[in-house]
Amino acid sequence: MNGPKVVFTIPVFGGIKVTESIINMWIIMAVLVALSIWLTHGLRVRNPSRKQLILEKLAAMLYDMVRDVMGERYLPFAPYIGTLFLLSIVGSLSSLTGLRPYTGDLSVILSWTIVTFIMIQSNNIKNHGVFGWLKSFTQPVAFITPLNIISEIANPVSMTFRHFGNIAAGLVITSLVYSALASMSGFLLSWIPSGFIASIPIFQVGIPAVLSIYFDLFTSFLQAYIICMLTMVFVQGAGE
């Protein structure tokens, strides 16, 4: 409800606060790196294992998606898009393990969209040159140059708040519902003489699981897909 907790502070530069989001993200990155090493170990051309076949299928799906959205010459962006999707979906689903999802932290999503923003501008400069890039802000007429600049900055900002807002809202709503169900259990069971029965939060069983299907599963996949799709569209559009 109040954002990620500060776990400890590094006593340099006036104190660098290390939050739950930072620790959880490093844990998940370490798991993903270890999983990647295991999945890509022992690959072979002949008689591939079932693990390798599944991995190749997932990689082919990723490259096909990038090819369909961005075009053949943008295939080198596929590893970044795949990494962005994995960090987003695994980070959001980490709430199922009891960890606080770092995707509910504004600074995490903002850092991703800043990388995307740099990729958009660099791709624009690469395809049109510095003068062509600057000229694009004056199109179709120089009068709307300030609006074009604002629009360019608004893209990463909107991506940030769209992803962060949905995940953070799910955290807040789930916490409120869970707290309300606990209070309801305590109120209704308080009429029962047995103190042990009154302490059992029966209403917290089942209903939170149903909410989790939407907020943890559906919303997580949806937001990971959207941020990847918008990244591909904006980067590809900068090259047109």
Side-chain angles (χ1 to χ4, degrees), residues 188-208:
L188 294 180
L189 296 180
S190 63
W191 299 91
I192 301 177
S194 175
F196 172 75
I197 296 178
S199 64
I200 301 176
I202 58 172
F203 289 105
Q204 287 183 314
V205 178
I207 298 178

Side-chain angles (χ1 to χ4, degrees), residues 141-204:
V141 291
F143 178 75
I144 64 171
T145 298
L147 293 179
N148 286 334
I149 295 176
I150 294 174
S151 176
E152 203 69 23
I153 297 175
N155 285 337
V157 173
S158 64
M159 289 173 62
T160 299
F161 280 97
R162 178 184 290 109
H163 194 298
F164 156 76
N166 280 279
I167 302 301
L171 285 174
V172 173
I173 292 174
T174 302
S175 299
L176 291 174
V177 171
Y178 211 75
S179 177
L181 291 175
S183 300
M184 185 184 299
S185 298
F187 174 75
L188 294 180
L189 296 180
S190 63
W191 299 91
I192 301 177
S194 175
F196 172 75
I197 296 178
S199 64
I200 301 176
I202 58 172
F203 289 105
Q204 287 183 314

Side-chain angles (χ1 to χ4, degrees), residues 40-53:
T40 56
H41 178 71
L43 301 181
R44 52 184 183 266
V45 177
R46 298 180 180 275
N47 300 321
S49 62
R50 182 178 301 177
K51 174 187 69 176
Q52 180 177 337
L53 292 175

Side-chain angles (χ1 to χ4, degrees), residues 16-50:
I16 299 176
K17 296 180 180 180
V18 179
T19 65
E20 285 180 294
S21 296
I22 297 175
I23 293 177
N24 293 347
M25 192 169 185
W26 276 98
I27 292 174
I28 289 176
M29 285 193 297
V31 171
L32 289 176
V33 169
L35 183 62
S36 299
I37 294 174
W38 176 71
L39 287 174
T40 56
H41 178 71
L43 301 181
R44 52 184 183 266
V45 177
R46 298 180 180 275
N47 300 321
S49 62
R50 182 178 301 177

